Amino acid sequence: SLKQIVKSLVFADPEGRFVHCLLPGHLQVDEKKLAAVAGGECTMLESDALLETTGARVGEVHPFVRGVTRRLLDRRVTLNSVVSFNTGDMTKGLVVELAGFMKALEGQVSVHDIARGEDGEEVDDLAAELGVPRHDAKFLLETEGALGYYTAWLLEYTCCREADVNGDGARAAAVVEEASDPLFWVRAVVRFASQDKADWRGVPPAW
């Protein structure tokens, strides 16, 4: 299936270094995720630059191509037990067990989340990570700035729990009570700000 195919794309990072991205054949690179890993916005190589850098034409780039500085493997590739990839010859491919593939790339690749997930996948992942219902995870992803605001809110909540341990119990108790449902407060801030046509993202999660 397309999910088992390891697709290779080569980008240039802000420093001009070449970043080799390996991801499932049915997905595309998420440019924001890649930028976060690579340290800045990356640009995919055009055909001439690709040939000059790797010696491979478009469609011929394989997981072990030369000329790259970093290899980034999307985490979804590791969900397969078997993977396939081209050998540098567009008419021939190779099918191997994942363990053997990872062994061959040992020391050359690091695993990251660099692909744009399928519909709903990121929502499910975030819901599991935060331990919140799926509709709340969807709200945090779809409302610009909401996830960062929510994270800051939880950080304040954590700091106050630590303050409680250090003897600042009164403040901590008040904050913990208000933060018992932080998503309620995030939604409220967004709703009231939209009614007033205000930019709620600049409002710090103060207590």
Side-chain angles (χ1 to χ4, degrees), residues 123-183:
V123 174
D124 292 335
D125 286 349
L126 184 64
E129 179 184 343
L130 297 180
V132 300
R134 194 176 187 280
H135 67 271
D136 285 331
K138 188 171 187 291
F139 160 75
L140 289 172
L141 282 173
E142 292 181 352
T143 305
E144 184 180 358
L147 182 56
Y149 198 91
Y150 177 76
T151 303
W153 205 295
L154 290 184
L155 178 60
E156 178 75 5
Y157 173 68
T158 301
C159 290
C160 285
R161 293 191 62 181
E162 292 174 354
D164 191 23
V165 174
N166 294 326
D168 191 2
R171 177 171 181 266
V175 173
V176 169
E177 183 179 357
E178 287 192 25
S180 59
D181 186 2
L183 270 161

Coordinates of all heavy atoms in Angstrom, one line a residue, residues 123-183:
V123 N -5.9 15.4 15.2 CA -6.9 15.6 16.3 C -6.9 14.4 17.3 O -6.8 14.6 18.5 CB -8.3 15.7 15.7 CG1 -9.4 15.8 16.8 CG2 -8.4 16.9 14.8
D124 N -6.8 13.2 16.7 CA -6.8 12.0 17.6 C -5.5 12.0 18.4 O -5.5 11.6 19.6 CB -6.9 10.7 16.7 CG -8.2 10.6 16.1 OD1 -9.2 11.1 16.6 OD2 -8.3 9.9 15.0
D125 N -4.4 12.3 17.8 CA -3.1 12.3 18.5 C -3.1 13.3 19.6 O -2.6 13.0 20.7 CB -1.9 12.7 17.5 CG -1.6 11.5 16.5 OD1 -2.1 10.4 16.8 OD2 -0.9 11.7 15.6
L126 N -3.6 14.5 19.3 CA -3.6 15.6 20.3 C -4.6 15.2 21.5 O -4.3 15.4 22.7 CB -4.1 16.9 19.7 CG -4.0 18.1 20.7 CD1 -2.6 18.4 21.2 CD2 -4.6 19.4 20.1
A127 N -5.7 14.6 21.2 CA -6.6 14.2 22.2 C -6.0 13.2 23.1 O -6.2 13.3 24.4 CB -7.9 13.6 21.6
A128 N -5.3 12.3 22.5 CA -4.6 11.2 23.4 C -3.5 11.9 24.2 O -3.3 11.5 25.4 CB -4.0 10.2 22.4
E129 N -2.7 12.8 23.6 CA -1.6 13.4 24.3 C -2.1 14.3 25.5 O -1.5 14.2 26.6 CB -0.8 14.3 23.3 CG 0.4 15.0 23.9 CD 1.0 16.0 23.0 OE1 0.8 15.8 21.7 OE2 1.8 16.9 23.4
L130 N -3.2 15.0 25.3 CA -3.6 15.9 26.4 C -4.6 15.3 27.3 O -4.9 15.8 28.4 CB -4.3 17.2 25.7 CG -3.4 18.1 24.9 CD1 -4.2 19.2 24.4 CD2 -2.2 18.6 25.7
G131 N -5.2 14.1 26.9 CA -6.2 13.4 27.7 C -7.5 14.2 27.7 O -8.2 14.3 28.7
V132 N -7.8 14.8 26.5 CA -9.1 15.6 26.4 C -10.0 14.9 25.4 O -9.5 14.1 24.5 CB -8.8 17.0 26.0 CG1 -7.9 17.7 27.1 CG2 -8.2 17.1 24.6
P133 N -11.3 15.2 25.4 CA -12.2 14.7 24.4 C -11.8 15.2 23.0 O -11.1 16.2 22.8 CB -13.6 15.3 24.8 CG -13.4 15.5 26.2 CD -12.0 16.0 26.4
R134 N -12.2 14.4 22.0 CA -11.8 14.7 20.6 C -12.3 16.1 20.2 O -11.6 16.8 19.4 CB -12.3 13.6 19.7 CG -11.7 13.6 18.3 CD -12.2 12.5 17.4 NE -11.4 12.4 16.2 CZ -11.7 13.2 15.1 NH1 -12.6 14.1 15.2 NH2 -11.0 13.1 14.0
H135 N -13.5 16.5 20.6 CA -14.0 17.7 20.1 C -13.2 18.9 20.7 O -13.1 20.0 20.1 CB -15.5 17.9 20.5 CG -15.8 18.0 21.9 ND1 -16.0 16.8 22.7 CD2 -15.9 19.0 22.8 CE1 -16.3 17.2 24.0 NE2 -16.2 18.5 24.0
D136 N -12.7 18.7 21.9 CA -11.8 19.7 22.5 C -10.5 19.8 21.8 O -10.0 20.9 21.5 CB -11.6 19.5 24.0 CG -12.8 19.8 24.8 OD1 -13.6 20.7 24.4 OD2 -13.0 19.1 25.9
A137 N -9.9 18.7 21.4 CA -8.7 18.7 20.7 C -8.9 19.4 19.3 O -8.0 20.1 18.8 CB -8.2 17.3 20.5
K138 N -10.0 19.1 18.7 CA -10.3 19.7 17.4 C -10.4 21.2 17.5 O -9.9 22.0 16.7 CB -11.6 19.2 16.8 CG -12.0 19.5 15.4 CD -13.2 18.7 14.9 CE -13.5 19.0 13.5 NZ -14.0 20.3 13.2
F139 N -11.0 21.7 18.6 CA -11.1 23.2 18.8 C -9.8 23.8 19.0 O -9.5 24.8 18.4 CB -12.0 23.4 20.1 CG -11.8 24.7 20.7 CD1 -12.3 25.9 20.2 CD2 -11.0 24.9 21.9 CE1 -12.1 27.1 20.7 CE2 -10.8 26.1 22.4 CZ -11.4 27.3 21.9
L140 N -8.9 23.1 19.7 CA -7.5 23.7 20.0 C -6.7 23.7 18.7 O -5.9 24.7 18.5 CB -6.8 22.8 21.0 CG -7.3 22.9 22.5 CD1 -6.7 21.9 23.4 CD2 -7.1 24.3 23.0
L141 N -6.9 22.8 17.8 CA -6.2 22.7 16.6 C -6.7 23.7 15.6 O -5.9 24.4 14.8 CB -6.2 21.3 16.0 CG -5.2 20.3 16.6 CD1 -5.5 18.9 16.0 CD2 -3.8 20.7 16.4
E142 N -8.0 23.9 15.5 CA -8.6 24.7 14.5 C -8.7 26.2 14.9 O -8.9 27.0 14.0 CB -10.0 24.2 14.2 CG -10.0 22.8 13.5 CD -11.4 22.3 13.2 OE1 -12.4 23.0 13.6 OE2 -11.5 21.3 12.5
T143 N -8.6 26.6 16.1 CA -8.6 28.0 16.6 C -7.2 28.5 16.7 O -6.4 28.0 17.5 CB -9.3 28.1 17.9 OG1 -10.6 27.5 17.8 CG2 -9.5 29.6 18.3
E144 N -6.8 29.4 15.8 CA -5.5 29.9 15.8 C -5.0 30.5 17.1 O -5.7 31.3 17.7 CB -5.3 31.1 14.7 CG -3.9 31.6 14.6 CD -3.8 32.7 13.6 OE1 -4.8 33.0 13.0 OE2 -2.7 33.2 13.4
G145 N -3.9 29.9 17.6 CA -3.4 30.4 18.9 C -3.9 29.7 20.1 O -3.3 29.8 21.2
A146 N -5.0 28.9 20.0 CA -5.6 28.3 21.1 C -4.8 27.3 21.8 O -4.7 27.2 23.0 CB -7.0 27.7 20.7
L147 N -4.1 26.5 21.0 CA -3.2 25.4 21.6 C -2.1 26.0 22.5 O -1.9 25.6 23.6 CB -2.7 24.5 20.5 CG -1.8 23.3 21.0 CD1 -2.6 22.5 22.0 CD2 -1.3 22.5 19.9
G148 N -1.5 27.1 22.0 CA -0.4 27.7 22.7 C -1.0 28.4 24.0 O -0.3 28.3 25.1
Y149 N -2.1 29.0 23.9 CA -2.8 29.6 25.1 C -3.1 28.5 26.1 O -2.9 28.7 27.3 CB -4.0 30.3 24.6 CG -4.6 31.3 25.6 CD1 -4.2 32.7 25.5 CD2 -5.5 31.0 26.6 CE1 -4.7 33.6 26.4 CE2 -6.0 31.9 27.4 CZ -5.6 33.2 27.3 OH -6.0 34.2 28.2
Y150 N -3.7 27.4 25.6 CA -4.0 26.3 26.6 C -2.8 25.8 27.2 O -2.8 25.5 28.4 CB -4.7 25.2 25.7 CG -5.1 24.0 26.5 CD1 -6.2 24.0 27.4 CD2 -4.4 22.8 26.4 CE1 -6.5 22.9 28.1 CE2 -4.7 21.7 27.1 CZ -5.8 21.7 27.9 OH -6.1 20.6 28.7
T151 N -1.7 25.6 26.5 CA -0.4 25.1 27.0 C 0.1 26.1 28.1 O 0.6 25.6 29.2 CB 0.6 24.9 25.9 OG1 0.1 24.1 24.9 CG2 1.9 24.3 26.5
A152 N 0.0 27.4 27.9 CA 0.5 28.4 28.8 C -0.4 28.3 30.1 O 0.1 28.4 31.2 CB 0.4 29.8 28.2
W153 N -1.7 28.0 29.9 CA -2.6 27.9 31.0 C -2.2 26.7 31.9 O -2.2 26.8 33.1 CB -4.0 27.8 30.5 CG -5.1 28.2 31.4 CD1 -5.4 27.7 32.6 CD2 -6.0 29.3 31.2 NE1 -6.4 28.4 33.2 CE2 -6.8 29.4 32.3 CE3 -6.2 30.2 30.2 CZ2 -7.9 30.3 32.5 CZ3 -7.2 31.1 30.3 CH2 -8.0 31.2 31.4
L154 N -1.9 25.6 31.3 CA -1.6 24.4 32.0 C -0.2 24.6 32.7 O 0.0 24.1 33.8 CB -1.5 23.2 31.1 CG -2.8 22.7 30.5 CD1 -2.5 21.4 29.7 CD2 -3.8 22.4 31.6
L155 N 0.7 25.4 32.1 CA 2.0 25.7 32.7 C 1.8 26.5 34.0 O 2.4 26.2 35.0 CB 2.9 26.4 31.8 CG 4.3 26.8 32.3 CD1 5.1 25.6 32.7 CD2 5.0 27.7 31.3
E156 N 0.9 27.5 34.0 CA 0.6 28.2 35.1 C 0.0 27.4 36.2 O 0.3 27.5 37.4 CB -0.4 29.4 34.8 CG -0.8 30.2 36.0 CD 0.3 31.2 36.4 OE1 1.3 31.3 35.8 OE2 0.1 31.9 37.4
Y157 N -0.9 26.4 35.8 CA -1.5 25.5 36.7 C -0.5 24.6 37.4 O -0.5 24.4 38.6 CB -2.5 24.7 35.9 CG -3.1 23.5 36.7 CD1 -4.0 23.8 37.7 CD2 -2.9 22.2 36.3 CE1 -4.6 22.7 38.4 CE2 -3.5 21.2 37.0 CZ -4.3 21.4 38.0 OH -4.9 20.4 38.7
T158 N 0.5 24.2 36.6 CA 1.6 23.3 37.2 C 2.4 24.1 38.1 O 2.8 23.6 39.2 CB 2.4 22.8 36.0 OG1 1.6 22.0 35.1 CG2 3.5 21.9 36.5
C159 N 2.8 25.3 37.8 CA 3.6 26.2 38.6 C 2.9 26.4 40.0 O 3.5 26.4 41.0 CB 3.9 27.5 38.0 SG 5.0 27.4 36.6
C160 N 1.5 26.6 39.9 CA 0.8 26.8 41.2 C 0.7 25.6 42.0 O 0.7 25.7 43.3 CB -0.6 27.3 40.9 SG -0.6 29.0 40.3
R161 N 0.7 24.4 41.4 CA 0.7 23.2 42.2 C 2.1 23.1 42.9 O 2.1 22.6 44.0 CB 0.4 22.0 41.3 CG -1.0 21.9 40.7 CD -1.3 20.6 40.1 NE -1.2 19.5 41.1 CZ -1.5 18.3 40.7 NH1 -1.7 17.9 39.5 NH2 -1.4 17.3 41.6
E162 N 3.1 23.5 42.2 CA 4.5 23.5 42.8 C 4.5 24.5 43.9 O 5.1 24.3 45.0 CB 5.5 23.7 41.8 CG 5.7 22.6 40.7 CD 6.6 23.0 39.6 OE1 7.1 24.1 39.6 OE2 6.9 22.1 38.8
A163 N 3.9 25.6 43.7 CA 3.8 26.7 44.8 C 3.1 26.2 46.0 O 3.5 26.5 47.2 CB 3.1 27.9 44.3
D164 N 2.1 25.3 45.8 CA 1.4 24.8 46.9 C 2.4 23.9 47.8 O 2.3 23.9 49.0 CB 0.3 23.9 46.4 CG -0.7 23.5 47.5 OD1 -0.7 24.2 48.5 OD2 -1.4 22.5 47.3
V165 N 3.2 23.2 47.1 CA 4.2 22.3 47.8 C 5.1 23.2 48.6 O 5.6 22.9 49.7 CB 5.0 21.4 46.8 CG1 6.1 20.7 47.5 CG2 4.0 20.5 46.1
N166 N 5.5 24.4 48.1 CA 6.4 25.3 48.7 C 5.8 26.2 49.7 O 6.4 27.2 50.2 CB 7.1 26.1 47.6 CG 8.0 25.2 46.8 OD1 8.6 24.3 47.2 ND2 8.1 25.6 45.5
G167 N 4.5 26.0 50.0 CA 3.9 26.8 51.1 C 3.0 27.9 50.7 O 2.4 28.5 51.5
D168 N 2.9 28.2 49.3 CA 2.0 29.3 48.9 C 0.6 28.7 48.6 O 0.1 28.8 47.5 CB 2.6 29.9 47.6 CG 1.9 31.2 47.3 OD1 1.0 31.6 48.0 OD2 2.3 31.8 46.2
G169 N 0.0 28.1 49.6 CA -1.2 27.3 49.4 C -2.4 28.1 49.0 O -3.2 27.7 48.2
A170 N -2.5 29.4 49.5 CA -3.7 30.2 49.2 C -3.8 30.5 47.7 O -4.9 30.3 47.1 CB -3.7 31.5 50.0
R171 N -2.7 31.0 47.2 CA -2.8 31.3 45.7 C -3.0 30.0 44.9 O -3.7 30.0 44.0 CB -1.5 32.0 45.3 CG -1.4 32.3 43.8 CD -0.2 33.1 43.5 NE -0.1 33.4 42.0 CZ 0.5 32.7 41.2 NH1 1.2 31.6 41.5 NH2 0.5 33.0 39.9
A172 N -2.3 29.0 45.3 CA -2.4 27.7 44.5 C -3.8 27.2 44.5 O -4.3 26.7 43.5 CB -1.4 26.7 45.1
A173 N -4.4 27.3 45.7 CA -5.8 26.7 45.8 C -6.7 27.5 44.9 O -7.6 26.9 44.2 CB -6.3 26.8 47.3
A174 N -6.6 28.8 44.8 CA -7.4 29.6 44.0 C -7.2 29.3 42.5 O -8.2 29.2 41.7 CB -7.2 31.1 44.2
V175 N -6.0 29.2 42.1 CA -5.7 28.9 40.7 C -6.2 27.5 40.3 O -6.8 27.3 39.3 CB -4.2 29.0 40.5 CG1 -3.8 28.5 39.1 CG2 -3.7 30.4 40.7
V176 N -5.9 26.5 41.2 CA -6.3 25.2 40.9 C -7.8 25.1 40.7 O -8.4 24.4 39.8 CB -5.9 24.2 42.0 CG1 -6.5 22.8 41.8 CG2 -4.3 24.0 41.9
E177 N -8.6 25.8 41.5 CA -10.0 25.8 41.4 C -10.5 26.4 40.1 O -11.3 25.8 39.4 CB -10.7 26.6 42.6 CG -12.2 26.6 42.5 CD -12.8 27.4 43.7 OE1 -12.0 27.9 44.5 OE2 -14.0 27.5 43.7
E178 N -9.9 27.5 39.7 CA -10.2 28.1 38.4 C -9.8 27.3 37.2 O -10.4 27.3 36.1 CB -9.6 29.5 38.3 CG -10.3 30.5 39.2 CD -9.8 31.9 38.8 OE1 -9.4 32.2 37.7 OE2 -9.9 32.8 39.7
A179 N -8.6 26.6 37.4 CA -8.1 25.8 36.3 C -8.6 24.4 36.2 O -8.1 23.6 35.4 CB -6.5 25.8 36.4
S180 N -9.6 24.1 37.0 CA -10.1 22.7 37.0 C -10.6 22.3 35.6 O -10.7 21.2 35.2 CB -11.2 22.6 38.0 OG -12.3 23.5 37.8
D181 N -11.1 23.3 34.8 CA -11.5 23.1 33.4 C -10.9 24.2 32.5 O -11.6 25.1 32.1 CB -13.0 23.0 33.3 CG -13.5 22.6 31.9 OD1 -12.6 22.3 31.1 OD2 -14.7 22.6 31.7
P182 N -9.6 24.1 32.3 CA -8.9 25.2 31.5 C -9.5 25.4 30.1 O -9.5 26.5 29.6 CB -7.5 24.7 31.4 CG -7.5 23.3 31.7 CD -8.6 23.0 32.7
L183 N -10.0 24.3 29.5 CA -10.6 24.5 28.2 C -11.9 25.4 28.2 O -12.1 26.1 27.3 CB -11.0 23.1 27.6 CG -9.9 22.5 26.8 CD1 -10.1 21.0 26.6 CD2 -9.7 23.1 25.4

